[in-house]
Amino acid sequence: MLQLDSTQNPKVRQLIRYREKSALRRKDGVVLVEGVRELERAVAAGWTLRQTFWEPATAHVPAWAQGHGQHFRCASAVYEKLVLRENGAGAVGLLAQPVASLDNLVLPAKPWILVLDGLEKPGNVGAILRTADAVGVDAVVFSSLECDPYSPQAVRNSTGAVFTLPLAAAPREAVQAWLRDRGVTPYALHLEGATAHHEVDWTQATAMVLGPEDRGLESSWSHAHRVKIPMKGHVDSLNVSVAAAVVLFEGLRQRG
């Protein structure tokens, strides 16, 4: 393990640029991850680990990380520059971002798919991925997202589920055509939905499509079947990650 003592080290400065600029991460094809647990899950899932930056008290590289990339132990001043978590993450790592293509997804005959369309908040994306992993969806598709689903916040909120789920990303029109070509019926939450979420047969080839909370799905999703979550209170909507959990666990109940 090499030692990093200066905050002006080029590797340190590059890591900070990656943290601050999602466009740079996408350009270079890297994912920045905080947390030993998350990094270990990524390596176990087959992601390529390029570099790790460990907290000052680290005595040695753990077995799961040995043979994977370069490893640096950081002086206190350096480590404080790199981490965002208040309680400490143990390590920060750079991973190579794998290709997330629709063509690479391997699906069963009647797939259960979650489509995240145009979401703007990476924290919501991460929370939804955590639930998607819990219920065992067959794939999560990022459709014209307006945030980075691999941002440090999304990875943290997913508790590492982003590394184990079958993922794909494509423009909205391509996602719609892909669902249509495979005979997958899209469903969308809507306040005026005529069908309750628990009345949908989620055991068939179905896709739950979720959009931004403020404006909902774009009009190009008008062909999607409208469903609603029955509610008794004065508030007429839920946070998108909570709504996703309600619907996804109904799907799990049906699919067993």
Side-chain angles (χ1 to χ4, degrees):
M1 189 187 308
L2 303 174
Q3 181 73 25
L4 283 178
D5 293 319
S6 172
T7 58
Q8 299 305 309
N9 184 286
K11 293 185 181 297
V12 175
R13 297 175 69 178
Q14 178 72 349
L15 203 69
I16 293 173
R17 285 193 291 270
Y18 280 142
R19 187 180 68 196
E20 296 174 348
K21 299 180 179 181
S22 61
L24 182 60
R25 295 196 300 270
R26 288 194 298 271
K27 175 180 176 293
D28 291 350
V30 297
V31 177
L32 179 62
V33 177
E34 283 191 25
V36 173
R37 175 186 59 183
E38 287 82 354
L39 288 169
E40 184 174 5
R41 287 179 179 175
V43 171
W47 284 48
T48 300
L49 183 62
R50 292 185 175 178
Q51 295 175 333
T52 55
F53 301 81
W54 297 85
E55 62 185 358
T58 304
H60 55 82
V61 177
W64 60 263
Q66 293 177 13
H68 299 278
Q70 294 179 303
H71 304 286
F72 304 90
R73 179 171 44 238
C74 300
S76 296
V78 173
Y79 191 70
E80 290 172 4
K81 279 274 190 180
L82 298 181
V83 296
L84 296 177
R85 292 187 184 181
E86 293 182 0
N87 60 347
V92 179
L94 269 184
L95 301 162
Q97 182 176 319
V99 176
S101 168
L102 290 170
D103 294 334
N104 291 343
L105 291 176
V106 178
L107 301 173
K110 296 180 180 180
W112 183 27
I113 297 167
L114 177 62
V115 177
L116 304 184
D117 182 90
L119 295 187
E120 301 169 325
K121 299 178 181 179
N124 278 337
V125 172
I128 293 170
L129 292 178
R130 184 175 183 177
T131 303
D133 175 78
V135 302
V137 298
D138 294 309
V140 178
V141 177
F142 301 138
S143 168
S144 294
L145 283 189
E146 296 185 14
C147 67
D148 180 8
Y150 302 104
S151 72
Q153 184 182 8
V155 172
R156 182 168 64 249
N157 281 20
S158 80
T159 65
V162 68
F163 304 123
T164 56
L165 284 163
L167 302 175
R172 181 175 295 113
E173 295 77 10
V175 172
Q176 293 168 346
W178 179 78
L179 292 174
R180 183 173 59 252
D181 292 345
R182 282 154 184 77
V184 178
T185 303
Y187 290 85
L189 289 177
H190 197 281
L191 295 178
E192 298 177 0
T195 306
H197 72 287
H198 59 268
E199 295 174 341
V200 175
D201 185 357
W202 297 108
T203 65
Q204 299 303 307
T206 51
M208 184 68 235
V209 187
L210 297 170
E213 295 174 23
D214 56 347
R215 63 180 186 273
L217 291 170
E218 291 204 352
S219 59
S220 62
W221 287 106
S222 60
H223 63 287
H225 296 263
R226 292 181 174 182
V227 298
K228 64 180 179 181
I229 298 174
M231 300 175 66
K232 292 184 176 181
H234 297 289
V235 177
D236 61 2
S237 64
L238 298 171
N239 171 274
V240 65
S241 65
V242 175
V246 172
V247 177
L248 289 174
F249 272 96
E250 171 59 23
L252 174 63
R253 185 190 70 80
Q254 293 185 20
R255 285 183 172 243

